[in-house]
Structures are given as C-alpha cells and as structure tokens.
Amino acid sequence: DMSEYEANKYESYYIAVTQEIRQLRAILEAAQAKEGERVWLKRKQDGDLDDGRLVEGITGDKDIYKTRGRENPLQGGFQEKPKRMIFCMDISGSMYRFNSQDRRLDRLLQVAVMIMESLQGFEQKFSYSIVGHSGDGPDIPLVEFNQPPKNKKERLKVLERMIAHSQYCSSGDFTLLATELGIKNVTKEEADDYFVFVFSDANLERYDISPKQLGKELLRNARVNAYVILIASVANEAEEIKSALPLGKGYVCLDTAMLPQTFKQIFTASAIADN
C-alpha cells in the first residue's frame, strides 16, 4: 500500500499526462505485427513449379511458380512475438541541475510514467526495458525486460531512483555508449521488431559529442529502429542536433504532450519502411 504522501507524489506526475497515456495506448493498440508467417507465395513468374497450376501453364499462363516467404500480416492480426523496446533515459546531473529553470527532469519523469502506464496490459505485444545513462555509466537498470512494475507504488520507486541518481551522479556523458548498448541489448532475444529510444537533454557539445557520431550509432544495426528524443535545449541546440542527424532519427519534444504523436510518427515510419 502507498502512503498518502506517496500517492500524492505519484499522482502529481500521472495527472500531467493522463490524456497522453490514453493517446499512446491507442497508438500501441494499433501497432501492427511486422513478421508474417512463412508460407508458399503463389502466382509467381519464377521459383518452384506450382503443381496446382500445371493446367494454367499449358494454356500459356506464366504465373505458375511459387516461392517461400512471409505474408504481409493483416492489421490486428496475431503477433507471434512481442516487439522489444529499450528506453534510455537521461538521468545525468544536468537534468537535476537545470530542472529549476525548465522542468526538464519533471518532464522526463512524466515521460517515464507515460511509458509504464501505457504499456501496462500489452505484454504480449511489447516487451520493454528502461535504463538510465549519466556520468556514472551508460546502462543503469531501472526496469528489466519482462519485469514491468506491477502497480503505482513500484512505478513510483522507478521515478525516485531516477531523481536520486540525477542528484548524486558524477559529471560526464555516456549518450553514445548508451545508444550502442541499447541497440546491442535489444536484439539479444528474437522479437517481432526492435526499437531503441534514447532520451537526452541535448547537452552534448559540452562533452565533445557531435551529432555525426550519434547518427552513426543510431544506424549501427539495420534491424533496430533507433531514435534520439531531445527533451531540453539551451537556445536552439536541440533543433541543430536534430537537423544534423540522419533524416527521421531525431525528434525534439520540449513539451510532453508532443510525445504520443512522436511515437505515432515513429511506428508509422517503421511500418512503411518494412513494406
């Protein structure tokens, strides 16, 4: 059970994204299976001869061959394996230090609530992990695969770990390695599709990290849909980073309300690329 203080604390983050959670759940519900079942694809002009179309061949029909392949899954069709997703959250010292100026840490905590609440009940379609990156390292565990927080109290503990870490962690930036490890770890098990979302406050130049380096990491594995989502910015830094990244790999979300639409764009772009 949660104390009144804990309940009020969690509610302060939850209520800020209630509408966004509803929107994101609808988007996740509509996400299609990527992998179709391997079957004989018939009416081909090359491949193995289709015994069932010999008569058509005699009469001059050229579409008498078949090949092995995957059917395009129907919308709403059965998804054999879940999509695997890793959310790499920026819990660096700058998130805590500048929160009083632009509420960047508060927004990240709202994002974490949105993710955990939206994915609840979709375990068959999505398996996810949340890790943090900061000057202390690139993959600080927050939520493990197949072990999502079961209730509000467990979700609040995730938020509290994020706050405490950003308050006391070392200076430094592991965004590049966090991206590399996220892409490596998300493919450790077979899945319907793979996604890595790297959240950053765009404070990269201070640590001599160029958008070109980050773009290279995002393209490391063609099987993985990897993106950076910039949730804070000094002047126009976030937009400049986005513009320098490969097309469609960077998003600027300075308002938490923009995130559901961002995820919708990402899932839609992924589906189009697969067809």
Side-chain angles (χ1 to χ4, degrees):
D1 291 340
M2 298 176 76
S3 67
E4 183 178 352
Y5 170 78
E6 290 173 326
N8 290 337
K9 187 175 183 181
Y10 185 80
E11 191 69 14
S12 69
Y13 297 112
Y14 176 81
I15 200 167
V17 289
T18 304
Q19 181 177 344
E20 286 75 17
I21 290 168
R22 286 198 298 267
Q23 292 173 355
L24 185 52
R25 284 185 66 82
I27 292 163
L28 295 172
E29 178 68 44
Q32 298 183 35
K34 177 181 178 182
E35 295 288 356
E37 182 182 359
R38 286 189 66 84
V39 295
W40 283 110
L41 303 176
K42 299 187 178 185
R43 292 182 173 272
K44 301 294 183 181
Q45 293 191 4
D46 55 40
D48 295 334
L49 185 64
D50 185 350
D51 294 339
R53 293 186 57 79
L54 293 178
V55 174
E56 286 82 352
I58 294 172
T59 59
D61 194 333
K62 296 180 180 180
D63 300 332
I64 60 171
Y65 297 92
K66 60 184 180 179
T67 59
R68 293 291 286 177
R70 294 190 182 275
E71 280 187 312
N72 288 330
L74 298 174
Q75 184 169 3
F78 177 73
Q79 183 177 304
E80 186 177 349
K81 296 173 182 174
K83 301 178 190 295
R84 277 171 64 89
M85 303 192 295
I86 292 182
F87 300 90
C88 303
M89 313 298 264
D90 188 342
I91 50 175
S92 60
S94 59
M95 293 293 292
Y96 185 87
R97 187 164 59 252
F98 294 115
N99 188 54
S100 60
Q101 296 180 24
D102 60 13
R103 317 311 300 174
R104 62 182 64 184
L105 180 57
D106 289 341
R107 289 202 306 277
L108 186 69
L109 297 170
Q110 291 169 4
V111 169
V113 170
M114 189 191 310
I115 290 167
M116 293 184 288
E117 291 280 356
S118 298
L119 286 165
Q120 187 179 17
F122 286 125
E123 288 78 12
Q124 183 175 314
K125 292 187 71 172
F126 300 96
S127 177
Y128 76 95
S129 163
I130 301 178
V131 299
H133 62 92
S134 73
D136 280 0
D139 59 346
I140 297 111
L142 295 168
V143 176
E144 301 284 357
F145 277 113
N146 304 316
Q147 298 178 38
K150 299 181 182 68
N151 50 51
K152 291 183 177 181
K153 185 167 186 173
E154 291 187 7
R155 289 191 279 276
L156 178 61
K157 287 182 179 178
V158 174
L159 304 183
E160 289 175 337
R161 288 203 299 273
M162 293 171 68
I163 296 168
H165 185 93
S166 66
Q167 186 174 2
Y168 298 110
C169 67
S170 304
S171 178
D173 193 294
F174 278 94
T175 304
L176 291 179
L177 189 53
T179 306
E180 177 186 342
L181 289 177
I183 291 171
K184 177 182 177 182
N185 291 335
V186 79
T187 56
K188 282 188 174 180
E189 292 185 15
E190 286 297 315
D192 180 74
D193 208 353
Y194 305 96
F195 292 88
V196 172
F197 303 98
V198 181
F199 289 84
S200 170
D201 68 356
N203 192 28
L204 303 180
E205 187 176 0
R206 178 185 175 190
Y207 298 100
D208 295 321
I209 297 173
S210 72
K212 185 177 180 179
Q213 290 174 293
L214 183 55
K216 184 179 178 181
E217 291 300 333
L218 292 169
L219 298 173
R220 173 176 286 271
N221 186 335
R223 296 169 64 203
V224 179
N225 306 285
Y227 308 90
V228 62
I229 300 176
L230 303 162
I231 62 167
S233 183
V234 175
N236 204 39
E237 191 172 16
E239 286 291 347
E240 291 173 356
I241 292 171
K242 174 191 170 183
S243 298
L245 290 172
L247 186 64
K249 287 295 182 180
Y251 293 85
V252 177
C253 288
L254 305 183
D255 183 347
T256 313
M258 298 167 60
L259 264 176
Q261 186 63 29
T262 298
F263 282 119
K264 184 176 182 179
Q265 290 175 9
I266 287 170
F267 287 134
T268 301
S270 172
I272 291 171
D274 293 333
N275 291 331

